[in-house]
């Protein structure tokens, strides 16, 4: 069965970077894009960007342009989301999701990133 | 991109129907038939309920239906049940390989 398993919770200081992983199983990794979506406490879902797992091309939300980098390791069937220059407003649960025709049928369990001094 | 506009909350009694709207622009909702809806219970990952405006993934009850008119998409839940109480989010393709979510709607089953 399709599974996306994310890395564990992180606590970071302001100004630091965080890298969250998303390991896929149960399907051919390079057949579907992986998107990243975040959700601040008590807030809604926010689209961050995505990676074409086949060729590595990426697209980011303008809101995160310059601060976010999404990569993948096809040999490990894993996608990564790196967010830099963290501020308190980046405290959120970060989700990866498998995308097909702009739909997310499979999601990771979420990774809580807490930014605190 | 600006978030799509959803009502902050809606409510209904068991057995009734409710409709949640999702308003965008001609650059997102109105421009493409790539609108999806997600249900999210507290502490859980979102679940796909509707895709391509009005299609249901297997396993989603036919009480859930979607539609679109112009720049506004809608999710209708008929025969409300207690377990439908959750947050609901719309999502649309917004061109140039980007997507945008709505702000979310809290559904309360009275």
């Amino acid at each position: 069965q399709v599974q996306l398993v994310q890395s564990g919770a992180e606590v970071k200081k302001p100004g630091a970077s965080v890298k969250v992983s998303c390991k896929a199983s149960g399907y051919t990794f390079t057949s579907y894009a992986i998107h990243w979506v975040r959700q601040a406490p008590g807030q809604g879902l926010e689209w961050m960007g995505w990676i074409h797992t086949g060729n590595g091309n990426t697209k980011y939300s303008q809101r995160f342009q310059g601060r976010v980098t999404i990569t993948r390791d096809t040999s490990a069937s894993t996608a990564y989301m790196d967010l830099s220059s963290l501020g308190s407003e980046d405290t959120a649960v970060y989700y990866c999701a498998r995308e097909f025709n702009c739909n997310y049928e499979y999601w990771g369990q979420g990774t809580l990133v807490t930014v605190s001094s | 991109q600006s978030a799509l506009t959803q009502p902050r909350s809606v409510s209904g009694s068991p057995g009734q129907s409710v409709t949640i709207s999702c308003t965008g622009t001609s650059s997102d909702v109105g421009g493409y038939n790539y609108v999806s809806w997600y249900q999210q219970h507290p502490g859980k990952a979102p679940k796909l309920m509707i895709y391509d405006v009005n299609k249901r993934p297997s396993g989603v009850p036919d009480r859930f239906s979607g539609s679109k008119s112009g720049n506004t998409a809608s999710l209708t839940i008929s025969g409300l049940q207690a377990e439908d109480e959750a947050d609901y989010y719309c999502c649309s393709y917004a061109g140039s390989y980007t997507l945008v979510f709505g702000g979310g709607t809290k559904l309360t089953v009275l």
Side-chain angles (χ1 to χ4, degrees), chain B residues 42-69:
Chain B
K44 301 292 189 182
K47 175 186 176 183
L48 178 65
M49 304 302 286
I50 294 288
Y51 68 98
D52 293 356
V53 175
N54 56 15
K55 297 182 174 67
R56 273 187 316 276
S58 61
V60 173
D62 59 7
R63 303 185 294 104
F64 291 83
S65 62
S67 63
K68 189 183 85 165
S69 177

mmCIF file with all atom_site columns, all heavy atoms in Angstrom, chain B residues 42-69:
data_model
loop_
_atom_site.group_PDB
_atom_site.id
_atom_site.type_symbol
_atom_site.label_atom_id
_atom_site.label_alt_id
_atom_site.label_comp_id
_atom_site.label_asym_id
_atom_site.label_entity_id
_atom_site.label_seq_id
_atom_site.pdbx_PDB_ins_code
_atom_site.Cartn_x
_atom_site.Cartn_y
_atom_site.Cartn_z
_atom_site.occupancy
_atom_site.B_iso_or_equiv
_atom_site.pdbx_formal_charge
_atom_site.auth_seq_id
_atom_site.auth_comp_id
_atom_site.auth_asym_id
_atom_site.auth_atom_id
_atom_site.pdbx_PDB_model_num
ATOM 1   N N   . PRO B 1 42 ? -9.278  16.902 13.656  1.00 0.00 ? 42 PRO B N   1
ATOM 2   C CA  . PRO B 1 42 ? -8.203  17.436 14.504  1.00 0.00 ? 42 PRO B CA  1
ATOM 3   C C   . PRO B 1 42 ? -7.053  16.457 14.677  1.00 0.00 ? 42 PRO B C   1
ATOM 4   O O   . PRO B 1 42 ? -7.262  15.273 14.964  1.00 0.00 ? 42 PRO B O   1
ATOM 5   C CB  . PRO B 1 42 ? -8.919  17.686 15.833  1.00 0.00 ? 42 PRO B CB  1
ATOM 6   C CG  . PRO B 1 42 ? -10.329 17.941 15.457  1.00 0.00 ? 42 PRO B CG  1
ATOM 7   C CD  . PRO B 1 42 ? -10.596 17.032 14.298  1.00 0.00 ? 42 PRO B CD  1
ATOM 8   N N   . GLY B 1 43 ? -5.852  16.958 14.458  1.00 0.00 ? 43 GLY B N   1
ATOM 9   C CA  . GLY B 1 43 ? -4.660  16.148 14.644  1.00 0.00 ? 43 GLY B CA  1
ATOM 10  C C   . GLY B 1 43 ? -4.381  15.149 13.552  1.00 0.00 ? 43 GLY B C   1
ATOM 11  O O   . GLY B 1 43 ? -3.438  14.351 13.669  1.00 0.00 ? 43 GLY B O   1
ATOM 12  N N   . LYS B 1 44 ? -5.175  15.177 12.501  1.00 0.00 ? 44 LYS B N   1
ATOM 13  C CA  . LYS B 1 44 ? -5.012  14.215 11.404  1.00 0.00 ? 44 LYS B CA  1
ATOM 14  C C   . LYS B 1 44 ? -4.588  14.911 10.121  1.00 0.00 ? 44 LYS B C   1
ATOM 15  O O   . LYS B 1 44 ? -4.770  16.116 9.951   1.00 0.00 ? 44 LYS B O   1
ATOM 16  C CB  . LYS B 1 44 ? -6.325  13.475 11.144  1.00 0.00 ? 44 LYS B CB  1
ATOM 17  C CG  . LYS B 1 44 ? -6.852  12.716 12.335  1.00 0.00 ? 44 LYS B CG  1
ATOM 18  C CD  . LYS B 1 44 ? -5.971  11.540 12.681  1.00 0.00 ? 44 LYS B CD  1
ATOM 19  C CE  . LYS B 1 44 ? -6.610  10.658 13.741  1.00 0.00 ? 44 LYS B CE  1
ATOM 20  N NZ  . LYS B 1 44 ? -5.716  9.528  14.121  1.00 0.00 ? 44 LYS B NZ  1
ATOM 21  N N   . ALA B 1 45 ? -4.040  14.118 9.204   1.00 0.00 ? 45 ALA B N   1
ATOM 22  C CA  . ALA B 1 45 ? -3.723  14.643 7.883   1.00 0.00 ? 45 ALA B CA  1
ATOM 23  C C   . ALA B 1 45 ? -5.023  14.823 7.093   1.00 0.00 ? 45 ALA B C   1
ATOM 24  O O   . ALA B 1 45 ? -6.010  14.129 7.341   1.00 0.00 ? 45 ALA B O   1
ATOM 25  C CB  . ALA B 1 45 ? -2.791  13.685 7.145   1.00 0.00 ? 45 ALA B CB  1
ATOM 26  N N   . PRO B 1 46 ? -5.027  15.750 6.154   1.00 0.00 ? 46 PRO B N   1
ATOM 27  C CA  . PRO B 1 46 ? -6.221  15.932 5.311   1.00 0.00 ? 46 PRO B CA  1
ATOM 28  C C   . PRO B 1 46 ? -6.540  14.671 4.514   1.00 0.00 ? 46 PRO B C   1
ATOM 29  O O   . PRO B 1 46 ? -5.662  13.859 4.236   1.00 0.00 ? 46 PRO B O   1
ATOM 30  C CB  . PRO B 1 46 ? -5.818  17.088 4.392   1.00 0.00 ? 46 PRO B CB  1
ATOM 31  C CG  . PRO B 1 46 ? -4.737  17.812 5.131   1.00 0.00 ? 46 PRO B CG  1
ATOM 32  C CD  . PRO B 1 46 ? -3.988  16.737 5.860   1.00 0.00 ? 46 PRO B CD  1
ATOM 33  N N   . LYS B 1 47 ? -7.818  14.549 4.149   1.00 0.00 ? 47 LYS B N   1
ATOM 34  C CA  . LYS B 1 47 ? -8.284  13.413 3.349   1.00 0.00 ? 47 LYS B CA  1
ATOM 35  C C   . LYS B 1 47 ? -8.991  13.947 2.111   1.00 0.00 ? 47 LYS B C   1
ATOM 36  O O   . LYS B 1 47 ? -9.863  14.830 2.219   1.00 0.00 ? 47 LYS B O   1
ATOM 37  C CB  . LYS B 1 47 ? -9.260  12.554 4.161   1.00 0.00 ? 47 LYS B CB  1
ATOM 38  C CG  . LYS B 1 47 ? -9.886  11.408 3.365   1.00 0.00 ? 47 LYS B CG  1
ATOM 39  C CD  . LYS B 1 47 ? -10.946 10.697 4.177   1.00 0.00 ? 47 LYS B CD  1
ATOM 40  C CE  . LYS B 1 47 ? -11.633 9.616  3.344   1.00 0.00 ? 47 LYS B CE  1
ATOM 41  N NZ  . LYS B 1 47 ? -12.734 8.952  4.099   1.00 0.00 ? 47 LYS B NZ  1
ATOM 42  N N   . LEU B 1 48 ? -8.638  13.422 0.954   1.00 0.00 ? 48 LEU B N   1
ATOM 43  C CA  . LEU B 1 48 ? -9.256  13.848 -0.302  1.00 0.00 ? 48 LEU B CA  1
ATOM 44  C C   . LEU B 1 48 ? -10.705 13.366 -0.369  1.00 0.00 ? 48 LEU B C   1
ATOM 45  O O   . LEU B 1 48 ? -10.970 12.171 -0.234  1.00 0.00 ? 48 LEU B O   1
ATOM 46  C CB  . LEU B 1 48 ? -8.457  13.285 -1.482  1.00 0.00 ? 48 LEU B CB  1
ATOM 47  C CG  . LEU B 1 48 ? -8.975  13.589 -2.884  1.00 0.00 ? 48 LEU B CG  1
ATOM 48  C CD1 . LEU B 1 48 ? -8.895  15.090 -3.187  1.00 0.00 ? 48 LEU B CD1 1
ATOM 49  C CD2 . LEU B 1 48 ? -8.193  12.805 -3.928  1.00 0.00 ? 48 LEU B CD2 1
ATOM 50  N N   . MET B 1 49 ? -11.628 14.313 -0.603  1.00 0.00 ? 49 MET B N   1
ATOM 51  C CA  . MET B 1 49 ? -13.053 13.974 -0.654  1.00 0.00 ? 49 MET B CA  1
ATOM 52  C C   . MET B 1 49 ? -13.628 14.157 -2.059  1.00 0.00 ? 49 MET B C   1
ATOM 53  O O   . MET B 1 49 ? -14.526 13.420 -2.462  1.00 0.00 ? 49 MET B O   1
ATOM 54  C CB  . MET B 1 49 ? -13.832 14.854 0.328   1.00 0.00 ? 49 MET B CB  1
ATOM 55  C CG  . MET B 1 49 ? -13.341 14.786 1.761   1.00 0.00 ? 49 MET B CG  1
ATOM 56  S SD  . MET B 1 49 ? -13.375 13.130 2.448   1.00 0.00 ? 49 MET B SD  1
ATOM 57  C CE  . MET B 1 49 ? -15.134 12.901 2.732   1.00 0.00 ? 49 MET B CE  1
ATOM 58  N N   . ILE B 1 50 ? -13.146 15.172 -2.776  1.00 0.00 ? 50 ILE B N   1
ATOM 59  C CA  . ILE B 1 50 ? -13.625 15.483 -4.127  1.00 0.00 ? 50 ILE B CA  1
ATOM 60  C C   . ILE B 1 50 ? -12.415 15.930 -4.947  1.00 0.00 ? 50 ILE B C   1
ATOM 61  O O   . ILE B 1 50 ? -11.562 16.669 -4.437  1.00 0.00 ? 50 ILE B O   1
ATOM 62  C CB  . ILE B 1 50 ? -14.675 16.605 -4.122  1.00 0.00 ? 50 ILE B CB  1
ATOM 63  C CG1 . ILE B 1 50 ? -15.951 16.171 -3.408  1.00 0.00 ? 50 ILE B CG1 1
ATOM 64  C CG2 . ILE B 1 50 ? -14.976 17.084 -5.553  1.00 0.00 ? 50 ILE B CG2 1
ATOM 65  C CD1 . ILE B 1 50 ? -16.807 15.163 -4.169  1.00 0.00 ? 50 ILE B CD1 1
ATOM 66  N N   . TYR B 1 51 ? -12.345 15.501 -6.205  1.00 0.00 ? 51 TYR B N   1
ATOM 67  C CA  . TYR B 1 51 ? -11.291 15.991 -7.089  1.00 0.00 ? 51 TYR B CA  1
ATOM 68  C C   . TYR B 1 51 ? -11.888 16.329 -8.457  1.00 0.00 ? 51 TYR B C   1
ATOM 69  O O   . TYR B 1 51 ? -13.002 15.897 -8.774  1.00 0.00 ? 51 TYR B O   1
ATOM 70  C CB  . TYR B 1 51 ? -10.148 14.973 -7.200  1.00 0.00 ? 51 TYR B CB  1
ATOM 71  C CG  . TYR B 1 51 ? -10.504 13.682 -7.913  1.00 0.00 ? 51 TYR B CG  1
ATOM 72  C CD1 . TYR B 1 51 ? -10.190 13.499 -9.255  1.00 0.00 ? 51 TYR B CD1 1
ATOM 73  C CD2 . TYR B 1 51 ? -11.147 12.637 -7.239  1.00 0.00 ? 51 TYR B CD2 1
ATOM 74  C CE1 . TYR B 1 51 ? -10.509 12.328 -9.910  1.00 0.00 ? 51 TYR B CE1 1
ATOM 75  C CE2 . TYR B 1 51 ? -11.469 11.463 -7.885  1.00 0.00 ? 51 TYR B CE2 1
ATOM 76  C CZ  . TYR B 1 51 ? -11.139 11.303 -9.224  1.00 0.00 ? 51 TYR B CZ  1
ATOM 77  O OH  . TYR B 1 51 ? -11.450 10.126 -9.866  1.00 0.00 ? 51 TYR B OH  1
ATOM 78  N N   . ASP B 1 52 ? -11.132 17.079 -9.233  1.00 0.00 ? 52 ASP B N   1
ATOM 79  C CA  . ASP B 1 52 ? -11.606 17.503 -10.564 1.00 0.00 ? 52 ASP B CA  1
ATOM 80  C C   . ASP B 1 52 ? -13.028 18.060 -10.490 1.00 0.00 ? 52 ASP B C   1
ATOM 81  O O   . ASP B 1 52 ? -13.896 17.696 -11.300 1.00 0.00 ? 52 ASP B O   1
ATOM 82  C CB  . ASP B 1 52 ? -11.557 16.325 -11.545 1.00 0.00 ? 52 ASP B CB  1
ATOM 83  C CG  . ASP B 1 52 ? -10.136 15.873 -11.851 1.00 0.00 ? 52 ASP B CG  1
ATOM 84  O OD1 . ASP B 1 52 ? -9.195  16.529 -11.365 1.00 0.00 ? 52 ASP B OD1 1
ATOM 85  O OD2 . ASP B 1 52 ? -9.973  14.859 -12.549 1.00 0.00 ? 52 ASP B OD2 1
ATOM 86  N N   . VAL B 1 53 ? -13.260 18.907 -9.521  1.00 0.00 ? 53 VAL B N   1
ATOM 87  C CA  . VAL B 1 53 ? -14.529 19.623 -9.273  1.00 0.00 ? 53 VAL B CA  1
ATOM 88  C C   . VAL B 1 53 ? -15.606 18.727 -8.679  1.00 0.00 ? 53 VAL B C   1
ATOM 89  O O   . VAL B 1 53 ? -16.255 19.100 -7.693  1.00 0.00 ? 53 VAL B O   1
ATOM 90  C CB  . VAL B 1 53 ? -15.074 20.303 -10.560 1.00 0.00 ? 53 VAL B CB  1
ATOM 91  C CG1 . VAL B 1 53 ? -16.445 20.932 -10.306 1.00 0.00 ? 53 VAL B CG1 1
ATOM 92  C CG2 . VAL B 1 53 ? -14.093 21.353 -11.075 1.00 0.00 ? 53 VAL B CG2 1
ATOM 93  N N   . ASN B 1 54 ? -15.857 17.572 -9.297  1.00 0.00 ? 54 ASN B N   1
ATOM 94  C CA  . ASN B 1 54 ? -17.043 16.810 -8.898  1.00 0.00 ? 54 ASN B CA  1
ATOM 95  C C   . ASN B 1 54 ? -16.852 15.296 -8.866  1.00 0.00 ? 54 ASN B C   1
ATOM 96  O O   . ASN B 1 54 ? -17.835 14.549 -8.873  1.00 0.00 ? 54 ASN B O   1
ATOM 97  C CB  . ASN B 1 54 ? -18.209 17.151 -9.830  1.00 0.00 ? 54 ASN B CB  1
ATOM 98  C CG  . ASN B 1 54 ? -17.870 16.905 -11.288 1.00 0.00 ? 54 ASN B CG  1
ATOM 99  O OD1 . ASN B 1 54 ? -16.881 16.237 -11.602 1.00 0.00 ? 54 ASN B OD1 1
ATOM 100 N ND2 . ASN B 1 54 ? -18.658 17.430 -12.194 1.00 0.00 ? 54 ASN B ND2 1
ATOM 101 N N   . LYS B 1 55 ? -15.614 14.834 -8.842  1.00 0.00 ? 55 LYS B N   1
ATOM 102 C CA  . LYS B 1 55 ? -15.377 13.388 -8.807  1.00 0.00 ? 55 LYS B CA  1
ATOM 103 C C   . LYS B 1 55 ? -15.055 12.939 -7.384  1.00 0.00 ? 55 LYS B C   1
ATOM 104 O O   . LYS B 1 55 ? -14.381 13.657 -6.644  1.00 0.00 ? 55 LYS B O   1
ATOM 105 C CB  . LYS B 1 55 ? -14.233 13.010 -9.761  1.00 0.00 ? 55 LYS B CB  1
ATOM 106 C CG  . LYS B 1 55 ? -14.509 13.297 -11.228 1.00 0.00 ? 55 LYS B CG  1
ATOM 107 C CD  . LYS B 1 55 ? -13.365 12.862 -12.094 1.00 0.00 ? 55 LYS B CD  1
ATOM 108 C CE  . LYS B 1 55 ? -13.672 13.005 -13.572 1.00 0.00 ? 55 LYS B CE  1
ATOM 109 N NZ  . LYS B 1 55 ? -13.822 14.400 -13.985 1.00 0.00 ? 55 LYS B NZ  1
ATOM 110 N N   . ARG B 1 56 ? -15.529 11.752 -7.035  1.00 0.00 ? 56 ARG B N   1
ATOM 111 C CA  . ARG B 1 56 ? -15.274 11.202 -5.703  1.00 0.00 ? 56 ARG B CA  1
ATOM 112 C C   . ARG B 1 56 ? -14.288 10.058 -5.775  1.00 0.00 ? 56 ARG B C   1
ATOM 113 O O   . ARG B 1 56 ? -14.455 9.134  -6.592  1.00 0.00 ? 56 ARG B O   1
ATOM 114 C CB  . ARG B 1 56 ? -16.569 10.662 -5.077  1.00 0.00 ? 56 ARG B CB  1
ATOM 115 C CG  . ARG B 1 56 ? -17.410 11.634 -4.330  1.00 0.00 ? 56 ARG B CG  1
ATOM 116 C CD  . ARG B 1 56 ? -18.566 10.912 -3.613  1.00 0.00 ? 56 ARG B CD  1
ATOM 117 N NE  . ARG B 1 56 ? -19.203 9.926  -4.471  1.00 0.00 ? 56 ARG B NE  1
ATOM 118 C CZ  . ARG B 1 56 ? -20.144 10.211 -5.340  1.00 0.00 ? 56 ARG B CZ  1
ATOM 119 N NH1 . ARG B 1 56 ? -20.543 11.465 -5.477  1.00 0.00 ? 56 ARG B NH1 1
ATOM 120 N NH2 . ARG B 1 56 ? -20.683 9.248  -6.076  1.00 0.00 ? 56 ARG B NH2 1
ATOM 121 N N   . PRO B 1 57 ? -13.263 10.084 -4.923  1.00 0.00 ? 57 PRO B N   1
ATOM 122 C CA  . PRO B 1 57 ? -12.367 8.913  -4.851  1.00 0.00 ? 57 PRO B CA  1
ATOM 123 C C   . PRO B 1 57 ? -13.154 7.725  -4.324  1.00 0.00 ? 57 PRO B C   1
ATOM 124 O O   . PRO B 1 57 ? -14.171 7.879  -3.639  1.00 0.00 ? 57 PRO B O   1
ATOM 125 C CB  . PRO B 1 57 ? -11.294 9.346  -3.844  1.00 0.00 ? 57 PRO B CB  1
ATOM 126 C CG  . PRO B 1 57 ? -11.408 10.827 -3.748  1.00 0.00 ? 57 PRO B CG  1
ATOM 127 C CD  . PRO B 1 57 ? -12.832 11.155 -4.032  1.00 0.00 ? 57 PRO B CD  1
ATOM 128 N N   . SER B 1 58 ? -12.680 6.535  -4.609  1.00 0.00 ? 58 SER B N   1
ATOM 129 C CA  . SER B 1 58 ? -13.356 5.352  -4.091  1.00 0.00 ? 58 SER B CA  1
ATOM 130 C C   . SER B 1 58 ? -13.322 5.389  -2.568  1.00 0.00 ? 58 SER B C   1
ATOM 131 O O   . SER B 1 58 ? -12.333 5.791  -1.961  1.00 0.00 ? 58 SER B O   1
ATOM 132 C CB  . SER B 1 58 ? -12.683 4.080  -4.604  1.00 0.00 ? 58 SER B CB  1
ATOM 133 O OG  . SER B 1 58 ? -11.344 4.033  -4.183  1.00 0.00 ? 58 SER B OG  1
ATOM 134 N N   . GLY B 1 59 ? -14.447 5.000  -1.992  1.00 0.00 ? 59 GLY B N   1
ATOM 135 C CA  . GLY B 1 59 ? -14.536 4.970  -0.536  1.00 0.00 ? 59 GLY B CA  1
ATOM 136 C C   . GLY B 1 59 ? -15.175 6.206  0.063   1.00 0.00 ? 59 GLY B C   1
ATOM 137 O O   . GLY B 1 59 ? -15.567 6.192  1.239   1.00 0.00 ? 59 GLY B O   1
ATOM 138 N N   . VAL B 1 60 ? -15.285 7.276  -0.696  1.00 0.00 ? 60 VAL B N   1
ATOM 139 C CA  . VAL B 1 60 ? -15.944 8.478  -0.190  1.00 0.00 ? 60 VAL B CA  1
ATOM 140 C C   . VAL B 1 60 ? -17.448 8.358  -0.445  1.00 0.00 ? 60 VAL B C   1
ATOM 141 O O   . VAL B 1 60 ? -17.861 8.090  -1.580  1.00 0.00 ? 60 VAL B O   1
ATOM 142 C CB  . VAL B 1 60 ? -15.388 9.742  -0.878  1.00 0.00 ? 60 VAL B CB  1
ATOM 143 C CG1 . VAL B 1 60 ? -16.200 10.980 -0.484  1.00 0.00 ? 60 VAL B CG1 1
ATOM 144 C CG2 . VAL B 1 60 ? -13.922 9.941  -0.501  1.00 0.00 ? 60 VAL B CG2 1
ATOM 145 N N   . PRO B 1 61 ? -18.262 8.527  0.592   1.00 0.00 ? 61 PRO B N   1
ATOM 146 C CA  . PRO B 1 61 ? -19.719 8.363  0.418   1.00 0.00 ? 61 PRO B CA  1
ATOM 147 C C   . PRO B 1 61 ? -20.273 9.327  -0.616  1.00 0.00 ? 61 PRO B C   1
ATOM 148 O O   . PRO B 1 61 ? -19.786 10.454 -0.774  1.00 0.00 ? 61 PRO B O   1
ATOM 149 C CB  . PRO B 1 61 ? -20.269 8.690  1.824   1.00 0.00 ? 61 PRO B CB  1
ATOM 150 C CG  . PRO B 1 61 ? -19.125 8.531  2.753   1.00 0.00 ? 61 PRO B CG  1
ATOM 151 C CD  . PRO B 1 61 ? -17.893 8.874  1.982   1.00 0.00 ? 61 PRO B CD  1
ATOM 152 N N   . ASP B 1 62 ? -21.349 8.877  -1.306  1.00 0.00 ? 62 ASP B N   1
ATOM 153 C CA  . ASP B 1 62 ? -21.947 9.728  -2.327  1.00 0.00 ? 62 ASP B CA  1
ATOM 154 C C   . ASP B 1 62 ? -22.755 10.869 -1.702  1.00 0.00 ? 62 ASP B C   1
ATOM 155 O O   . ASP B 1 62 ? -23.383 11.661 -2.422  1.00 0.00 ? 62 ASP B O   1
ATOM 156 C CB  . ASP B 1 62 ? -22.801 8.916  -3.293  1.00 0.00 ? 62 ASP B CB  1
ATOM 157 C CG  . ASP B 1 62 ? -23.930 8.162  -2.613  1.00 0.00 ? 62 ASP B CG  1
ATOM 158 O OD1 . ASP B 1 62 ? -24.136 8.363  -1.396  1.00 0.00 ? 62 ASP B OD1 1
ATOM 159 O OD2 . ASP B 1 62 ? -24.592 7.357  -3.285  1.00 0.00 ? 62 ASP B OD2 1
ATOM 160 N N   . ARG B 1 63 ? -22.741 10.986 -0.384  1.00 0.00 ? 63 ARG B N   1
ATOM 161 C CA  . ARG B 1 63 ? -23.335 12.154 0.288   1.00 0.00 ? 63 ARG B CA  1
ATOM 162 C C   . ARG B 1 63 ? -22.514 13.411 0.015   1.00 0.00 ? 63 ARG B C   1
ATOM 163 O O   . ARG B 1 63 ? -22.999 14.524 0.209   1.00 0.00 ? 63 ARG B O   1
ATOM 164 C CB  . ARG B 1 63 ? -23.393 11.931 1.803   1.00 0.00 ? 63 ARG B CB  1
ATOM 165 C CG  . ARG B 1 63 ? -24.143 10.692 2.237   1.00 0.00 ? 63 ARG B CG  1
ATOM 166 C CD  . ARG B 1 63 ? -24.266 10.585 3.740   1.00 0.00 ? 63 ARG B CD  1
ATOM 167 N NE  . ARG B 1 63 ? -23.004 10.398 4.432   1.00 0.00 ? 63 ARG B NE  1
ATOM 168 C CZ  . ARG B 1 63 ? -22.368 11.331 5.100   1.00 0.00 ? 63 ARG B CZ  1
ATOM 169 N NH1 . ARG B 1 63 ? -22.858 12.584 5.158   1.00 0.00 ? 63 ARG B NH1 1
ATOM 170 N NH2 . ARG B 1 63 ? -21.220 11.070 5.720   1.00 0.00 ? 63 ARG B NH2 1
ATOM 171 N N   . PHE B 1 64 ? -21.278 13.198 -0.411  1.00 0.00 ? 64 PHE B N   1
ATOM 172 C CA  . PHE B 1 64 ? -20.387 14.321 -0.714  1.00 0.00 ? 64 PHE B CA  1
ATOM 173 C C   . PHE B 1 64 ? -20.402 14.572 -2.222  1.00 0.00 ? 64 PHE B C   1
ATOM 174 O O   . PHE B 1 64 ? -20.197 13.653 -3.012  1.00 0.00 ? 64 PHE B O   1
ATOM 175 C CB  . PHE B 1 64 ? -18.960 14.009 -0.268  1.00 0.00 ? 64 PHE B CB  1
ATOM 176 C CG  . PHE B 1 64 ? -18.791 13.958 1.224   1.00 0.00 ? 64 PHE B CG  1
ATOM 177 C CD1 . PHE B 1 64 ? -19.098 12.811 1.931   1.00 0.00 ? 64 PHE B CD1 1
ATOM 178 C CD2 . PHE B 1 64 ? -18.338 15.073 1.919   1.00 0.00 ? 64 PHE B CD2 1
ATOM 179 C CE1 . PHE B 1 64 ? -18.957 12.766 3.313   1.00 0.00 ? 64 PHE B CE1 1
ATOM 180 C CE2 . PHE B 1 64 ? -18.188 15.035 3.298   1.00 0.00 ? 64 PHE B CE2 1
ATOM 181 C CZ  . PHE B 1 64 ? -18.502 13.881 3.994   1.00 0.00 ? 64 PHE B CZ  1
ATOM 182 N N   . SER B 1 65 ? -20.661 15.819 -2.602  1.00 0.00 ? 65 SER B N   1
ATOM 183 C CA  . SER B 1 65 ? -20.675 16.158 -4.018  1.00 0.00 ? 65 SER B CA  1
ATOM 184 C C   . SER B 1 65 ? -20.055 17.533 -4.227  1.00 0.00 ? 65 SER B C   1
ATOM 185 O O   . SER B 1 65 ? -20.048 18.374 -3.313  1.00 0.00 ? 65 SER B O   1
ATOM 186 C CB  . SER B 1 65 ? -22.086 16.124 -4.578  1.00 0.00 ? 65 SER B CB  1
ATOM 187 O OG  . SER B 1 65 ? -22.905 17.090 -3.932  1.00 0.00 ? 65 SER B OG  1
ATOM 188 N N   . GLY B 1 66 ? -19.528 17.746 -5.419  1.00 0.00 ? 66 GLY B N   1
ATOM 189 C CA  . GLY B 1 66 ? -18.889 19.009 -5.733  1.00 0.00 ? 66 GLY B CA  1
ATOM 190 C C   . GLY B 1 66 ? -19.429 19.598 -7.018  1.00 0.00 ? 66 GLY B C   1
ATOM 191 O O   . GLY B 1 66 ? -19.946 18.877 -7.877  1.00 0.00 ? 66 GLY B O   1
ATOM 192 N N   . SER B 1 67 ? -19.309 20.908 -7.121  1.00 0.00 ? 67 SER B N   1
ATOM 193 C CA  . SER B 1 67 ? -19.761 21.607 -8.323  1.00 0.00 ? 67 SER B CA  1
ATOM 194 C C   . SER B 1 67 ? -18.968 22.895 -8.459  1.00 0.00 ? 67 SER B C   1
ATOM 195 O O   . SER B 1 67 ? -18.207 23.278 -7.555  1.00 0.00 ? 67 SER B O   1
ATOM 196 C CB  . SER B 1 67 ? -21.257 21.896 -8.268  1.00 0.00 ? 67 SER B CB  1
ATOM 197 O OG  . SER B 1 67 ? -21.541 22.767 -7.167  1.00 0.00 ? 67 SER B OG  1
ATOM 198 N N   . LYS B 1 68 ? -19.158 23.547 -9.602  1.00 0.00 ? 68 LYS B N   1
ATOM 199 C CA  . LYS B 1 68 ? -18.476 24.826 -9.828  1.00 0.00 ? 68 LYS B CA  1
ATOM 200 C C   . LYS B 1 68 ? -19.321 25.679 -10.745 1.00 0.00 ? 68 LYS B C   1
ATOM 201 O O   . LYS B 1 68 ? -19.930 25.188 -11.710 1.00 0.00 ? 68 LYS B O   1
ATOM 202 C CB  . LYS B 1 68 ? -17.099 24.591 -10.468 1.00 0.00 ? 68 LYS B CB  1
ATOM 203 C CG  . LYS B 1 68 ? -16.232 25.830 -10.546 1.00 0.00 ? 68 LYS B CG  1
ATOM 204 C CD  . LYS B 1 68 ? -14.916 25.557 -11.264 1.00 0.00 ? 68 LYS B CD  1
ATOM 205 C CE  . LYS B 1 68 ? -15.061 25.668 -12.753 1.00 0.00 ? 68 LYS B CE  1
ATOM 206 N NZ  . LYS B 1 68 ? -13.755 25.752 -13.469 1.00 0.00 ? 68 LYS B NZ  1
ATOM 207 N N   . SER B 1 69 ? -19.356 26.974 -10.442 1.00 0.00 ? 69 SER B N   1
ATOM 208 C CA  . SER B 1 69 ? -20.010 27.943 -11.302 1.00 0.00 ? 69 SER B CA  1
ATOM 209 C C   . SER B 1 69 ? -19.142 29.195 -11.328 1.00 0.00 ? 69 SER B C   1
ATOM 210 O O   . SER B 1 69 ? -18.943 29.831 -10.290 1.00 0.00 ? 69 SER B O   1
ATOM 211 C CB  . SER B 1 69 ? -21.411 28.269 -10.788 1.00 0.00 ? 69 SER B CB  1
ATOM 212 O OG  . SER B 1 69 ? -22.013 29.256 -11.595 1.00 0.00 ? 69 SER B OG  1
#
